[in-house]
Short mmCIF file of all heavy atoms in Angstrom, two decimals:
data_model
loop_
_atom_site.label_atom_id
_atom_site.label_comp_id
_atom_site.label_asym_id
_atom_site.label_seq_id
_atom_site.Cartn_x
_atom_site.Cartn_y
_atom_site.Cartn_z
N MET T 1 63.96 65.94 -64.81
CA MET T 1 64.18 65.11 -63.62
C MET T 1 63.89 65.92 -62.36
O MET T 1 63.39 65.37 -61.40
CB MET T 1 65.59 64.58 -63.61
CG MET T 1 65.79 63.50 -62.62
SD MET T 1 64.72 62.09 -62.87
CE MET T 1 65.87 60.81 -63.08
N VAL T 2 64.20 67.18 -62.37
CA VAL T 2 63.97 68.03 -61.20
C VAL T 2 62.46 68.14 -60.94
O VAL T 2 62.00 68.10 -59.78
CB VAL T 2 64.57 69.43 -61.41
CG1 VAL T 2 64.16 70.36 -60.28
CG2 VAL T 2 66.08 69.32 -61.52
N ARG T 3 61.66 68.20 -62.01
CA ARG T 3 60.22 68.27 -61.86
C ARG T 3 59.64 67.03 -61.17
O ARG T 3 58.75 67.10 -60.33
CB ARG T 3 59.58 68.52 -63.20
CG ARG T 3 58.08 68.73 -63.11
CD ARG T 3 57.51 69.01 -64.46
NE ARG T 3 56.11 69.26 -64.30
CZ ARG T 3 55.40 70.11 -64.99
NH1 ARG T 3 56.00 70.80 -65.93
NH2 ARG T 3 54.14 70.29 -64.82
N HIS T 4 60.19 65.89 -61.55
CA HIS T 4 59.77 64.61 -60.96
C HIS T 4 60.05 64.60 -59.46
O HIS T 4 59.25 64.14 -58.67
CB HIS T 4 60.47 63.47 -61.65
CG HIS T 4 60.13 62.13 -61.10
ND1 HIS T 4 58.87 61.59 -61.18
CD2 HIS T 4 60.87 61.21 -60.41
CE1 HIS T 4 58.87 60.40 -60.59
NE2 HIS T 4 60.07 60.18 -60.12
N ARG T 5 61.25 65.11 -59.08
CA ARG T 5 61.59 65.15 -57.67
C ARG T 5 60.67 66.06 -56.87
O ARG T 5 60.25 65.70 -55.77
CB ARG T 5 63.04 65.65 -57.54
CG ARG T 5 63.90 64.74 -56.74
CD ARG T 5 65.27 65.29 -56.58
NE ARG T 5 65.95 65.32 -57.89
CZ ARG T 5 66.99 66.08 -58.17
NH1 ARG T 5 67.45 66.89 -57.26
NH2 ARG T 5 67.54 66.06 -59.34
N ARG T 6 60.32 67.21 -57.45
CA ARG T 6 59.42 68.14 -56.77
C ARG T 6 58.03 67.56 -56.61
O ARG T 6 57.42 67.69 -55.57
CB ARG T 6 59.33 69.44 -57.56
CG ARG T 6 60.56 70.30 -57.40
CD ARG T 6 60.39 71.62 -58.11
NE ARG T 6 61.59 72.41 -58.07
CZ ARG T 6 61.80 73.45 -58.82
NH1 ARG T 6 60.88 73.86 -59.66
NH2 ARG T 6 62.90 74.12 -58.75
N SER T 7 57.53 66.90 -57.69
CA SER T 7 56.21 66.32 -57.57
C SER T 7 56.15 65.19 -56.59
O SER T 7 55.19 65.02 -55.84
CB SER T 7 55.69 65.87 -58.94
OG SER T 7 56.50 64.83 -59.44
N ARG T 8 57.22 64.39 -56.51
CA ARG T 8 57.28 63.30 -55.54
C ARG T 8 57.35 63.87 -54.14
O ARG T 8 56.69 63.37 -53.25
CB ARG T 8 58.51 62.46 -55.83
CG ARG T 8 58.59 61.26 -55.03
CD ARG T 8 59.84 60.45 -55.39
NE ARG T 8 59.79 59.16 -54.75
CZ ARG T 8 60.05 58.03 -55.32
NH1 ARG T 8 60.38 58.03 -56.61
NH2 ARG T 8 59.99 56.91 -54.69
N ARG T 9 58.11 64.93 -53.92
CA ARG T 9 58.22 65.54 -52.59
C ARG T 9 56.88 66.14 -52.21
O ARG T 9 56.44 66.07 -51.06
CB ARG T 9 59.31 66.64 -52.60
CG ARG T 9 59.57 67.22 -51.26
CD ARG T 9 60.76 68.10 -51.28
NE ARG T 9 61.98 67.39 -51.44
CZ ARG T 9 62.81 67.07 -50.47
NH1 ARG T 9 62.57 67.46 -49.29
NH2 ARG T 9 63.90 66.39 -50.71
N ALA T 10 56.20 66.80 -53.17
CA ALA T 10 54.87 67.39 -52.85
C ALA T 10 53.86 66.30 -52.51
O ALA T 10 53.07 66.47 -51.58
CB ALA T 10 54.40 68.23 -54.07
N LEU T 11 53.89 65.19 -53.26
CA LEU T 11 52.99 64.08 -52.95
C LEU T 11 53.28 63.51 -51.56
O LEU T 11 52.36 63.22 -50.81
CB LEU T 11 53.15 63.01 -54.01
CG LEU T 11 52.31 61.69 -53.77
CD1 LEU T 11 50.84 62.02 -53.78
CD2 LEU T 11 52.65 60.68 -54.81
N ALA T 12 54.57 63.36 -51.23
CA ALA T 12 54.92 62.82 -49.91
C ALA T 12 54.44 63.78 -48.82
O ALA T 12 53.88 63.32 -47.81
CB ALA T 12 56.45 62.66 -49.85
N LEU T 13 54.64 65.06 -48.99
CA LEU T 13 54.19 66.03 -48.00
C LEU T 13 52.64 65.97 -47.85
O LEU T 13 52.13 65.98 -46.76
CB LEU T 13 54.63 67.41 -48.39
CG LEU T 13 54.23 68.55 -47.43
CD1 LEU T 13 54.84 68.33 -46.04
CD2 LEU T 13 54.64 69.89 -47.99
N PHE T 14 51.94 65.91 -48.97
CA PHE T 14 50.48 65.81 -48.93
C PHE T 14 50.03 64.55 -48.19
O PHE T 14 49.10 64.62 -47.36
CB PHE T 14 49.94 65.79 -50.38
CG PHE T 14 48.45 65.51 -50.45
CD1 PHE T 14 47.56 66.48 -50.09
CD2 PHE T 14 48.02 64.29 -50.88
CE1 PHE T 14 46.18 66.19 -50.14
CE2 PHE T 14 46.66 63.99 -50.95
CZ PHE T 14 45.76 64.98 -50.56
N LEU T 15 50.66 63.42 -48.45
CA LEU T 15 50.28 62.19 -47.78
C LEU T 15 50.57 62.20 -46.29
O LEU T 15 49.77 61.74 -45.46
CB LEU T 15 51.01 60.99 -48.41
CG LEU T 15 50.54 60.64 -49.82
CD1 LEU T 15 51.40 59.50 -50.39
CD2 LEU T 15 49.09 60.24 -49.86
N VAL T 16 51.69 62.81 -45.89
CA VAL T 16 51.98 62.95 -44.45
C VAL T 16 50.94 63.83 -43.78
O VAL T 16 50.43 63.49 -42.70
CB VAL T 16 53.42 63.48 -44.27
CG1 VAL T 16 53.69 63.88 -42.85
CG2 VAL T 16 54.44 62.45 -44.71
N VAL T 17 50.59 64.97 -44.39
CA VAL T 17 49.61 65.85 -43.82
C VAL T 17 48.25 65.17 -43.77
O VAL T 17 47.53 65.21 -42.75
CB VAL T 17 49.53 67.18 -44.58
CG1 VAL T 17 48.34 68.03 -44.16
CG2 VAL T 17 50.86 67.97 -44.39
N LEU T 18 47.83 64.51 -44.84
CA LEU T 18 46.55 63.81 -44.87
C LEU T 18 46.48 62.73 -43.82
O LEU T 18 45.49 62.58 -43.11
CB LEU T 18 46.35 63.21 -46.28
CG LEU T 18 45.03 62.44 -46.47
CD1 LEU T 18 43.83 63.38 -46.31
CD2 LEU T 18 45.00 61.81 -47.85
N GLY T 19 47.56 61.98 -43.68
CA GLY T 19 47.61 60.92 -42.65
C GLY T 19 47.45 61.51 -41.26
O GLY T 19 46.74 61.00 -40.41
N GLY T 20 48.12 62.63 -41.01
CA GLY T 20 48.05 63.31 -39.71
C GLY T 20 46.60 63.78 -39.42
O GLY T 20 46.10 63.65 -38.33
N ILE T 21 45.96 64.36 -40.46
CA ILE T 21 44.59 64.82 -40.30
C ILE T 21 43.69 63.65 -40.00
O ILE T 21 42.81 63.75 -39.11
CB ILE T 21 44.13 65.60 -41.56
CG1 ILE T 21 44.88 66.92 -41.63
CG2 ILE T 21 42.65 65.82 -41.52
CD1 ILE T 21 44.69 67.65 -42.96
N LEU T 22 43.82 62.55 -40.72
CA LEU T 22 42.96 61.38 -40.48
C LEU T 22 43.18 60.82 -39.06
O LEU T 22 42.21 60.46 -38.40
CB LEU T 22 43.26 60.29 -41.50
CG LEU T 22 42.68 60.54 -42.87
CD1 LEU T 22 43.15 59.43 -43.84
CD2 LEU T 22 41.17 60.61 -42.88
N MET T 23 44.41 60.80 -38.62
CA MET T 23 44.71 60.33 -37.25
C MET T 23 44.07 61.27 -36.19
O MET T 23 43.56 60.83 -35.19
CB MET T 23 46.19 60.15 -37.03
CG MET T 23 46.77 58.98 -37.75
SD MET T 23 48.45 58.61 -37.31
CE MET T 23 49.31 59.94 -38.10
N TYR T 24 44.11 62.55 -36.47
CA TYR T 24 43.58 63.54 -35.53
C TYR T 24 42.04 63.46 -35.46
O TYR T 24 41.46 63.57 -34.39
CB TYR T 24 44.03 64.94 -35.89
CG TYR T 24 43.47 66.02 -35.02
CD1 TYR T 24 43.97 66.20 -33.73
CD2 TYR T 24 42.45 66.84 -35.43
CE1 TYR T 24 43.46 67.16 -32.88
CE2 TYR T 24 41.92 67.79 -34.62
CZ TYR T 24 42.44 67.98 -33.35
OH TYR T 24 41.90 68.95 -32.54
N LEU T 25 41.43 63.25 -36.60
CA LEU T 25 39.96 63.26 -36.68
C LEU T 25 39.28 61.94 -36.35
O LEU T 25 38.08 61.87 -36.34
CB LEU T 25 39.52 63.75 -38.05
CG LEU T 25 39.83 65.19 -38.41
CD1 LEU T 25 39.43 65.51 -39.86
CD2 LEU T 25 39.21 66.16 -37.45
N ALA T 26 40.06 60.90 -36.15
CA ALA T 26 39.47 59.57 -35.94
C ALA T 26 38.68 59.56 -34.61
O ALA T 26 39.20 59.89 -33.56
CB ALA T 26 40.58 58.53 -35.85
N PRO T 27 37.40 59.17 -34.72
CA PRO T 27 36.61 59.06 -33.48
C PRO T 27 37.04 57.80 -32.68
O PRO T 27 37.82 57.00 -33.17
CB PRO T 27 35.17 58.89 -34.05
CG PRO T 27 35.32 58.39 -35.39
CD PRO T 27 36.61 58.89 -35.90
N GLU T 28 36.50 57.65 -31.52
CA GLU T 28 36.96 56.60 -30.63
C GLU T 28 36.06 55.36 -30.73
O GLU T 28 35.84 54.67 -29.71
CB GLU T 28 37.01 57.10 -29.19
CG GLU T 28 38.03 58.18 -29.00
CD GLU T 28 38.19 58.59 -27.60
OE1 GLU T 28 37.88 57.79 -26.70
OE2 GLU T 28 38.65 59.70 -27.34
N MET T 29 35.55 55.05 -31.90
CA MET T 29 34.73 53.83 -32.15
C MET T 29 35.52 52.93 -33.07
O MET T 29 36.63 53.24 -33.47
CB MET T 29 33.41 54.26 -32.81
CG MET T 29 32.63 55.26 -31.97
SD MET T 29 31.95 54.54 -30.48
CE MET T 29 30.57 53.67 -31.14
N TRP T 30 34.93 51.79 -33.45
CA TRP T 30 35.64 50.87 -34.37
C TRP T 30 35.92 51.48 -35.70
O TRP T 30 36.94 51.23 -36.32
CB TRP T 30 34.78 49.59 -34.51
CG TRP T 30 34.92 48.68 -33.36
CD1 TRP T 30 33.97 48.46 -32.39
CD2 TRP T 30 36.06 47.93 -32.93
NE1 TRP T 30 34.44 47.62 -31.44
CE2 TRP T 30 35.72 47.24 -31.77
CE3 TRP T 30 37.31 47.71 -33.47
CZ2 TRP T 30 36.60 46.39 -31.11
CZ3 TRP T 30 38.20 46.87 -32.81
CH2 TRP T 30 37.84 46.25 -31.64
N GLY T 31 34.97 52.28 -36.19
CA GLY T 31 35.18 52.98 -37.47
C GLY T 31 36.34 53.94 -37.34
O GLY T 31 37.12 54.12 -38.28
N GLY T 32 36.51 54.55 -36.22
CA GLY T 32 37.65 55.44 -35.92
C GLY T 32 38.95 54.69 -35.98
O GLY T 32 39.98 55.20 -36.41
N LEU T 33 38.94 53.44 -35.51
CA LEU T 33 40.16 52.63 -35.54
C LEU T 33 40.58 52.38 -37.01
O LEU T 33 41.76 52.43 -37.33
CB LEU T 33 39.91 51.32 -34.82
CG LEU T 33 41.14 50.41 -34.65
CD1 LEU T 33 42.27 51.08 -33.90
CD2 LEU T 33 40.74 49.13 -33.96
N ALA T 34 39.59 52.15 -37.86
CA ALA T 34 39.90 51.94 -39.28
C ALA T 34 40.46 53.24 -39.90
O ALA T 34 41.42 53.19 -40.66
CB ALA T 34 38.64 51.49 -40.04
N VAL T 35 39.87 54.39 -39.55
CA VAL T 35 40.36 55.65 -40.06
C VAL T 35 41.77 55.94 -39.52
O VAL T 35 42.65 56.38 -40.25
CB VAL T 35 39.38 56.80 -39.69
CG1 VAL T 35 39.97 58.15 -40.00
CG2 VAL T 35 38.04 56.61 -40.35
N LEU T 36 41.99 55.62 -38.27
CA LEU T 36 43.32 55.80 -37.65
C LEU T 36 44.36 54.90 -38.39
O LEU T 36 45.44 55.36 -38.69
CB LEU T 36 43.28 55.46 -36.19
CG LEU T 36 44.61 55.58 -35.43
CD1 LEU T 36 45.04 57.04 -35.41
CD2 LEU T 36 44.46 55.02 -34.01
N ALA T 37 43.98 53.63 -38.66
CA ALA T 37 44.90 52.73 -39.35
C ALA T 37 45.19 53.23 -40.77
O ALA T 37 46.34 53.21 -41.22
CB ALA T 37 44.29 51.34 -39.41
N LEU T 38 44.16 53.75 -41.43
CA LEU T 38 44.34 54.28 -42.80
C LEU T 38 45.29 55.53 -42.73
O LEU T 38 46.17 55.68 -43.55
CB LEU T 38 43.01 54.70 -43.36
CG LEU T 38 43.05 55.32 -44.76
CD1 LEU T 38 43.58 54.33 -45.79
CD2 LEU T 38 41.68 55.80 -45.16
N GLY T 39 45.10 56.35 -41.69
CA GLY T 39 45.97 57.53 -41.51
C GLY T 39 47.42 57.10 -41.32
O GLY T 39 48.34 57.75 -41.86
N VAL T 40 47.63 56.06 -40.51
CA VAL T 40 49.01 55.61 -40.27
C VAL T 40 49.65 55.05 -41.54
O VAL T 40 50.80 55.36 -41.84
CB VAL T 40 48.99 54.52 -39.15
CG1 VAL T 40 50.36 53.81 -39.04
CG2 VAL T 40 48.59 55.13 -37.82
N VAL T 41 48.87 54.29 -42.30
CA VAL T 41 49.38 53.74 -43.56
C VAL T 41 49.72 54.86 -44.54
O VAL T 41 50.81 54.83 -45.16
CB VAL T 41 48.36 52.76 -44.18
CG1 VAL T 41 48.75 52.38 -45.58
CG2 VAL T 41 48.23 51.51 -43.34
N ILE T 42 48.82 55.84 -44.69
CA ILE T 42 49.11 56.97 -45.58
C ILE T 42 50.36 57.73 -45.11
O ILE T 42 51.20 58.10 -45.91
CB ILE T 42 47.86 57.89 -45.68
CG1 ILE T 42 46.76 57.17 -46.41
CG2 ILE T 42 48.22 59.22 -46.34
CD1 ILE T 42 45.45 57.93 -46.44
N GLU T 43 50.49 57.90 -43.81
CA GLU T 43 51.63 58.58 -43.28
C GLU T 43 52.92 57.85 -43.58
O GLU T 43 53.93 58.42 -43.99
CB GLU T 43 51.48 58.73 -41.76
CG GLU T 43 52.52 59.56 -41.10
CD GLU T 43 52.06 60.94 -40.73
OE1 GLU T 43 50.84 61.21 -40.85
OE2 GLU T 43 52.92 61.69 -40.34
N LEU T 44 52.88 56.54 -43.43
CA LEU T 44 54.10 55.74 -43.72
C LEU T 44 54.44 55.75 -45.21
O LEU T 44 55.63 55.80 -45.55
CB LEU T 44 53.84 54.27 -43.25
CG LEU T 44 53.82 54.10 -41.75
CD1 LEU T 44 53.44 52.66 -41.42
CD2 LEU T 44 55.14 54.49 -41.14
N VAL T 45 53.47 55.74 -46.08
CA VAL T 45 53.72 55.82 -47.52
C VAL T 45 54.36 57.19 -47.82
O VAL T 45 55.34 57.26 -48.59
CB VAL T 45 52.42 55.63 -48.35
CG1 VAL T 45 52.64 56.01 -49.82
CG2 VAL T 45 51.93 54.20 -48.23
N GLY T 46 53.84 58.26 -47.24
CA GLY T 46 54.40 59.59 -47.48
C GLY T 46 55.84 59.69 -46.99
O GLY T 46 56.73 60.24 -47.67
N ILE T 47 56.12 59.09 -45.82
CA ILE T 47 57.49 59.12 -45.29
C ILE T 47 58.42 58.30 -46.14
O ILE T 47 59.54 58.73 -46.41
CB ILE T 47 57.48 58.60 -43.83
CG1 ILE T 47 56.80 59.63 -42.90
CG2 ILE T 47 58.88 58.36 -43.35
CD1 ILE T 47 56.49 59.17 -41.54
N SER T 48 57.97 57.12 -46.62
CA SER T 48 58.84 56.34 -47.47
C SER T 48 59.10 57.02 -48.80
O SER T 48 60.23 56.93 -49.31
CB SER T 48 58.22 54.94 -47.71
OG SER T 48 57.11 55.00 -48.52
N LEU T 49 58.10 57.71 -49.35
CA LEU T 49 58.36 58.47 -50.60
C LEU T 49 59.39 59.60 -50.36
O LEU T 49 60.22 59.83 -51.22
CB LEU T 49 57.08 59.09 -51.11
CG LEU T 49 56.12 58.17 -51.86
CD1 LEU T 49 54.83 58.88 -52.20
CD2 LEU T 49 56.79 57.67 -53.14
N GLU T 50 59.28 60.20 -49.21
CA GLU T 50 60.24 61.29 -48.87
C GLU T 50 61.64 60.74 -48.75
O GLU T 50 62.60 61.36 -49.18
CB GLU T 50 59.77 61.98 -47.59
CG GLU T 50 60.65 63.16 -47.19
CD GLU T 50 60.53 64.32 -48.10
OE1 GLU T 50 59.47 64.52 -48.74
OE2 GLU T 50 61.54 65.10 -48.21
N ARG T 51 61.77 59.59 -48.15
CA ARG T 51 63.13 58.99 -47.95
C ARG T 51 63.75 58.55 -49.24
O ARG T 51 64.95 58.62 -49.40
CB ARG T 51 63.02 57.81 -46.99
CG ARG T 51 62.79 58.23 -45.60
CD ARG T 51 62.75 57.02 -44.66
NE ARG T 51 63.23 57.43 -43.37
CZ ARG T 51 64.37 57.00 -42.82
NH1 ARG T 51 65.09 56.09 -43.41
NH2 ARG T 51 64.76 57.46 -41.65
N LYS T 52 62.90 58.13 -50.19
CA LYS T 52 63.43 57.62 -51.49
C LYS T 52 63.75 58.76 -52.43
O LYS T 52 64.38 58.54 -53.45
CB LYS T 52 62.41 56.68 -52.13
CG LYS T 52 62.30 55.35 -51.41
CD LYS T 52 61.34 54.46 -52.11
CE LYS T 52 61.16 53.15 -51.41
NZ LYS T 52 60.20 52.27 -52.02
N ALA T 53 63.29 59.97 -52.14
CA ALA T 53 63.54 61.14 -53.01
C ALA T 53 65.05 61.40 -52.99
O ALA T 53 65.67 61.49 -51.93
CB ALA T 53 62.77 62.33 -52.56
N PRO T 54 65.66 61.55 -54.15
CA PRO T 54 67.13 61.82 -54.23
C PRO T 54 67.45 63.21 -53.75
O PRO T 54 66.75 64.13 -53.79
CB PRO T 54 67.46 61.63 -55.68
CG PRO T 54 66.22 61.57 -56.43
CD PRO T 54 65.10 61.38 -55.46
#
């Protein structure tokens, strides 16, 4: 069970970092808006995984 918690925490951290990178690298065009939205969604998934970790 401890291993499951660690892998979930690692996945959450990876998703938060990936979301932040996508938001930072998004250009200021319509395609950038899609990348920014994807970054926000990935960030939110990572945060929700982190909150659900026991």
Side-chain angles (χ1 to χ4, degrees):
M1 192 60 121
V2 173
R3 184 178 183 143
H4 178 67
R5 235 182 293 157
R6 285 184 185 166
S7 62
R8 187 180 189 134
R9 186 173 290 258
L11 176 63
L13 180 62
F14 172 74
L15 290 176
V16 168
V17 170
L18 180 64
I21 290 171
L22 285 175
M23 287 188 287
Y24 179 75
L25 294 177
E28 295 186 23
M29 303 290 281
W30 283 106
L33 185 59
V35 173
L36 180 66
L38 180 63
V40 169
V41 169
I42 290 174
E43 186 103 9
L44 290 174
V45 168
I47 290 169
S48 70
L49 281 175
E50 183 68 28
R51 288 182 149 245
K52 289 181 182 178

